[in-house]
Amino acid sequence: VTKAAGRVGLARASRRFISLRPLLRDDIKLTFVTAEGRRIEANAKEGDTMLDVTVKNEIDEVEGACEGTLACSTCHMIFDQALYDSLPEKDEEEEDMLDLAVGVTDTSRLGCQVKVTKEMDGAEIQLPEEVAAM
């Protein structure tokens, strides 16, 4: 391989890498609202779980004691009806864990089971007044 061919290949590889950068940005904005009404702005990436988002953004109001293994209910979150309706259905394990949560509503989900999508940009997620300690 000649030096010129090597530089051309490197330039092409660099352009490919740079073109992927926008896909890696945390460009989905979410707002978590505490029981006291405090609004916490958070950045998210598509595919992260809501629990991942709270950990990465250091939102201490969400515990996530089982670290997302679906073995507790400490990442309980409450979604508005439209967002809740857009989510995949809960499975039986999530239902069982929500049975242990405090303050469950018809639109409650576990943050470890809800993945962020681009359509969630700008969404508000209510955090419950308290969580069941595990």
Side-chain angles (χ1 to χ4, degrees):
V1 175
T2 66
K3 283 185 179 181
R7 282 193 295 266
V8 170
L10 182 58
R12 284 185 184 142
S14 296
R15 279 195 301 267
R16 274 188 241 128
F17 176 75
I18 291 169
S19 68
L20 293 177
R21 289 186 60 100
L23 299 176
L24 302 176
R25 291 192 351 234
D26 294 341
D27 59 354
I28 298 170
K29 305 294 183 201
L30 301 172
T31 302
F32 292 88
V33 182
T34 68
E36 298 80 31
R38 187 166 66 99
R39 301 169 62 78
I40 305 168
E41 304 294 323
N43 296 318
K45 283 195 275 186
E46 187 171 21
D48 281 349
T49 67
M50 288 290 181
L51 177 59
D52 293 336
V53 174
T54 62
V55 169
K56 289 176 185 175
N57 286 272
E58 299 179 1
I59 299 173
D60 296 332
E61 289 79 359
V62 179
E63 185 177 338
C66 74
E67 299 179 348
T69 61
L70 197 54
C72 74
S73 61
T74 61
C75 63
H76 171 212
M77 300 177 183
I78 303 165
F79 296 87
D80 70 35
Q81 189 68 54
L83 181 52
Y84 178 86
D85 290 343
S86 74
L87 300 174
E89 289 195 30
K90 295 178 263 196
D91 64 19
E92 190 174 333
E93 285 181 273
E94 184 179 1
E95 289 278 3
D96 290 346
M97 286 297 112
L98 279 169
D99 287 343
L100 305 173
V102 177
V104 174
T105 72
D106 290 341
T107 61
S108 289
R109 293 293 303 263
L110 296 180
C112 66
Q113 299 302 298
V114 176
K115 293 200 180 226
V116 175
T117 65
K118 289 178 187 175
E119 292 75 26
M120 292 178 179
D121 191 36
E124 291 188 7
I125 299 94
Q126 182 71 43
L127 300 178
E129 192 168 331
E130 61 182 300
V131 296
M134 296 300 209

